[in-house]
Amino acid sequence: MQQASLKVNEVFESLQGEGSYTGAPSIFVRLQGCPVGCSWCDTKHTWQINLEDESSSEDVMAQNFESSQWFTVTPASLFDLFSQQGYVAKHIVITGGEPCMFDLRDLTELAHSLGYTTQIETSGTFEILCSSKTWVTVSPKVNMKGGYEMREDALLRANEIKHPVAMQKHIDELDSLLTLLPKDKQPLIYLQPISQQKRATDFAVKTCIQRNWRLSLQTHKFIGLE
């Protein structure tokens, strides 16, 4: 059976810096394409899928700077690439861009059959198609420029909700989304200060203590990792 191909902007090995898997050695697969339009996004180079930016995996992997270039790969070929690069991490983080623009069932099922664990980082604005074993991190994007609505099925699939915050309105938005979930389906809640601003961090810490939620800091940025 032919596997669905993926448009990949970047592949690298590092430590997961956010959420429940903080500190875990991970292989990051960054997919190209995202129409959501978050103003604070730190990967805007992944937004557009321009045909003139299609390149080879060799050229993309050789880059050491942010680029809108991408390459097409099947899940099986992606694992060949991991071997070529000598990666040893056994946790795969599929991010973007918006990874759920793609059908990720082939990739995640193959990963688990090969002994990997998988995680998807998504905005929750697209249907999540993946293995039932995949850890799903939903970072809700509400009232963004792209005009996409949060999907209730994405919230129900979430193992953790990692919500970017800077002010009370962000908590109000999160509370509104949480009303869509039954009491027996409550994911872990992480608050992540937007752009690591001190004011946003202080607000997130205070709210986490008040609500018995968890704090997610982008620890990879603090220690200088990709």
Side-chain angles (χ1 to χ4, degrees), residues 9 36 56 58 87 111 149 203 219 224:
N9 172 273
V36 179
S56 67
E58 292 80 9
Y87 294 156
E149 297 290 331
F203 175 72
T219 55

mmCIF file of all heavy atoms in Angstrom, residues 9 36 56 58 87 111 149 203 219 224:
data_model
loop_
_atom_site.group_PDB
_atom_site.id
_atom_site.type_symbol
_atom_site.label_atom_id
_atom_site.label_comp_id
_atom_site.label_asym_id
_atom_site.label_seq_id
_atom_site.Cartn_x
_atom_site.Cartn_y
_atom_site.Cartn_z
ATOM 1 N N ASN A 9 10.075 20.443 6.356
ATOM 2 C CA ASN A 9 10.906 21.655 6.383
ATOM 3 C C ASN A 9 12.219 21.422 7.107
ATOM 4 O O ASN A 9 13.238 22.041 6.768
ATOM 5 C CB ASN A 9 10.131 22.789 7.060
ATOM 6 C CG ASN A 9 10.986 24.026 7.303
ATOM 7 O OD1 ASN A 9 11.658 24.138 8.335
ATOM 8 N ND2 ASN A 9 10.981 24.951 6.355
ATOM 9 N N VAL A 36 -2.881 29.053 9.918
ATOM 10 C CA VAL A 36 -3.554 29.543 11.133
ATOM 11 C C VAL A 36 -3.229 31.013 11.400
ATOM 12 O O VAL A 36 -4.094 31.798 11.765
ATOM 13 C CB VAL A 36 -3.202 28.661 12.343
ATOM 14 C CG1 VAL A 36 -3.880 29.190 13.615
ATOM 15 C CG2 VAL A 36 -3.640 27.217 12.088
ATOM 16 N N SER A 56 15.820 19.106 -2.327
ATOM 17 C CA SER A 56 16.170 17.729 -1.986
ATOM 18 C C SER A 56 16.359 17.606 -0.477
ATOM 19 O O SER A 56 16.645 18.594 0.212
ATOM 20 C CB SER A 56 17.458 17.320 -2.692
ATOM 21 O OG SER A 56 18.555 18.056 -2.186
ATOM 22 N N GLU A 58 18.843 16.238 0.922
ATOM 23 C CA GLU A 58 20.247 16.531 1.184
ATOM 24 C C GLU A 58 20.466 18.026 1.382
ATOM 25 O O GLU A 58 21.177 18.448 2.306
ATOM 26 C CB GLU A 58 21.133 16.010 0.047
ATOM 27 C CG GLU A 58 21.205 14.507 -0.068
ATOM 28 C CD GLU A 58 19.990 13.904 -0.772
ATOM 29 O OE1 GLU A 58 19.172 14.666 -1.329
ATOM 30 O OE2 GLU A 58 19.866 12.669 -0.756
ATOM 31 N N TYR A 87 20.789 9.218 14.218
ATOM 32 C CA TYR A 87 19.959 9.596 15.360
ATOM 33 C C TYR A 87 19.749 8.397 16.284
ATOM 34 O O TYR A 87 19.544 7.269 15.821
ATOM 35 C CB TYR A 87 18.601 10.103 14.890
ATOM 36 C CG TYR A 87 18.632 11.405 14.112
ATOM 37 C CD1 TYR A 87 17.599 11.725 13.227
ATOM 38 C CD2 TYR A 87 19.679 12.315 14.251
ATOM 39 C CE1 TYR A 87 17.607 12.918 12.523
ATOM 40 C CE2 TYR A 87 19.691 13.512 13.545
ATOM 41 C CZ TYR A 87 18.651 13.801 12.674
ATOM 42 O OH TYR A 87 18.658 14.983 11.960
ATOM 43 N N ALA A 111 6.220 4.234 13.024
ATOM 44 C CA ALA A 111 7.131 4.582 14.122
ATOM 45 C C ALA A 111 6.958 3.633 15.301
ATOM 46 O O ALA A 111 7.932 3.116 15.858
ATOM 47 C CB ALA A 111 6.897 6.025 14.563
ATOM 48 N N GLU A 149 -11.384 27.724 13.237
ATOM 49 C CA GLU A 149 -12.034 27.457 14.519
ATOM 50 C C GLU A 149 -11.388 26.259 15.195
ATOM 51 O O GLU A 149 -10.930 25.323 14.547
ATOM 52 C CB GLU A 149 -13.522 27.175 14.307
ATOM 53 C CG GLU A 149 -14.314 28.342 13.722
ATOM 54 C CD GLU A 149 -14.467 29.486 14.704
ATOM 55 O OE1 GLU A 149 -14.475 29.215 15.922
ATOM 56 O OE2 GLU A 149 -14.582 30.637 14.253
ATOM 57 N N PHE A 203 2.420 35.996 35.191
ATOM 58 C CA PHE A 203 0.982 35.730 35.123
ATOM 59 C C PHE A 203 0.704 34.230 35.041
ATOM 60 O O PHE A 203 -0.188 33.703 35.719
ATOM 61 C CB PHE A 203 0.383 36.442 33.913
ATOM 62 C CG PHE A 203 -1.063 36.133 33.676
ATOM 63 C CD1 PHE A 203 -2.053 36.635 34.509
ATOM 64 C CD2 PHE A 203 -1.440 35.296 32.628
ATOM 65 C CE1 PHE A 203 -3.395 36.328 34.296
ATOM 66 C CE2 PHE A 203 -2.770 34.987 32.404
ATOM 67 C CZ PHE A 203 -3.746 35.507 33.242
ATOM 68 N N THR A 219 12.292 25.461 27.655
ATOM 69 C CA THR A 219 13.594 25.286 28.289
ATOM 70 C C THR A 219 14.730 25.154 27.279
ATOM 71 O O THR A 219 15.866 25.514 27.572
ATOM 72 C CB THR A 219 13.589 24.037 29.203
ATOM 73 O OG1 THR A 219 13.177 22.899 28.444
ATOM 74 C CG2 THR A 219 12.627 24.227 30.355
ATOM 75 N N GLY A 224 19.910 27.217 25.090
ATOM 76 C CA GLY A 224 20.548 27.430 23.785
ATOM 77 C C GLY A 224 20.467 26.264 22.821
ATOM 78 O O GLY A 224 21.315 26.108 21.951
#
